[in-house]
Amino acid sequence: MHSPPRPPRARVPFLLTGLVCAALSLVVLVLVALAWSPLMSLDTAVAEALHRRAVTEPGLVHANRVLTDWVWDPWTMRVLTAAVVITLWWRGSRLLAGWVAATSLFATLVQQGLKAAVGRERPRWVDPVDSAHYAAFPSGHVMTAAVTCGLLLWLLRLHGAQAPLWWGSLALAVISVAGVAYTRVYLGVHWLSDVVGGVVLGATVVALSVAGYTGYARRTRPAGGGGDGDGDAPL
């Protein structure tokens, strides 16, 4: 028998975090859409500095391409999410499984919608070390990694993960999100603000999703604090 999830904690911290991240996302989005000169200059300076390094480091370019195309690829993250959703469903936590799946799908729709709406061009080089298609903002790799890692960390907390597992997972999540963000700029397929936007948008989606789940679960908990009859958390 698996240990049941812990009762969801108060939604206010998650809601506040989500609102702060949403505000930051809006600021980045507006500045990118308006092509704010200081931000564009920063993006160009960072991109050019990393590209100058990349063209002289074929070994590191190959390593970064493996990381970004396989380890931290959006489809890798989606497969990981799908495996978690299937596991939750199989173990009876169907509300939670559906919530995680819906959050991941919503994040993808937001990401693709913003790419289409903003239509930002990617960096262009006469000597590219990698290539990518579709619009640049926000970075799909980074946003997908942020959402996936954020959801997995939440599930670990919800199921009462012990300190070594929690801190190890947190470190791995930070390395993954920061790592994929670096690879996208280093390989010259994204601007710095694209990956920053991916991080804050991903954090927004996760925080607001957790707040929503927490509020819904508390409103629907049976009298006496038992489970919901669906194998989900005892609330």
Side-chain angles (χ1 to χ4, degrees):
M1 296 293 290
H2 67 282
S3 58
R6 290 180 174 180
R9 298 181 178 181
R11 65 184 299 207
V12 173
F14 297 111
L15 183 59
L16 290 177
T17 299
L19 292 176
V20 169
C21 289
L24 292 174
S25 300
L26 181 61
V27 169
V28 176
L29 172 62
V30 169
L31 294 180
V32 168
L34 295 177
W36 189 51
S37 180
L39 180 60
M40 299 301 102
S41 297
L42 176 62
D43 278 344
T44 301
V46 172
E48 289 179 346
L50 287 177
H51 184 68
R52 284 195 297 270
R53 286 184 49 192
V55 295
T56 66
E57 301 171 333
L60 286 178
V61 166
H62 177 72
N64 276 271
R65 291 188 66 175
V66 170
L67 288 171
T68 199
D69 292 340
W70 294 98
V71 179
W72 295 319
D73 183 76
W75 281 107
T76 302
M77 295 294 161
R78 290 169 188 145
V79 168
L80 179 58
T81 300
V84 170
V85 167
I86 291 170
T87 300
L88 289 170
W89 187 276
W90 178 69
R91 299 175 81 170
S93 297
R94 294 181 178 177
L95 172 62
L96 193 55
W99 204 280
V100 171
T103 300
S104 182
L105 176 60
F106 176 74
T108 300
L109 294 175
V110 169
Q111 170 207 130
Q112 294 300 312
L114 287 176
K115 281 180 177 289
V118 177
R120 189 183 198 188
E121 289 191 2
R122 294 176 184 268
R124 293 184 178 181
W125 311 104
V126 295
D127 51 353
V129 297
D130 199 0
S131 62
H133 306 287
Y134 202 35
F137 183 90
S139 167
H141 279 68
V142 175
M143 186 172 175
T144 304
V147 170
T148 302
C149 291
L151 289 173
L152 293 181
L153 289 174
W154 170 53
L155 291 174
L156 286 174
R157 273 294 194 188
L158 198 60
H159 285 78
Q162 298 299 310
L165 176 58
W166 164 251
W167 287 109
S169 299
L170 178 61
L172 183 59
V174 171
I175 290 171
S176 295
V177 176
V180 73
Y182 178 80
T183 67
R184 302 311 285 166
V185 181
Y186 176 81
L187 293 171
V189 293
H190 273 294
W191 306 103
L192 177 63
S193 54
D194 297 337
V195 301
V196 171
V199 171
V200 292
L201 282 165
T204 300
V205 170
V206 172
L208 293 180
S209 176
V210 173
Y213 176 86
T214 304
Y216 178 80
R218 287 187 177 277
R219 286 195 304 273
T220 59
R221 66 180 177 183
D228 63 6
D230 191 34
D232 285 298
L235 306 177

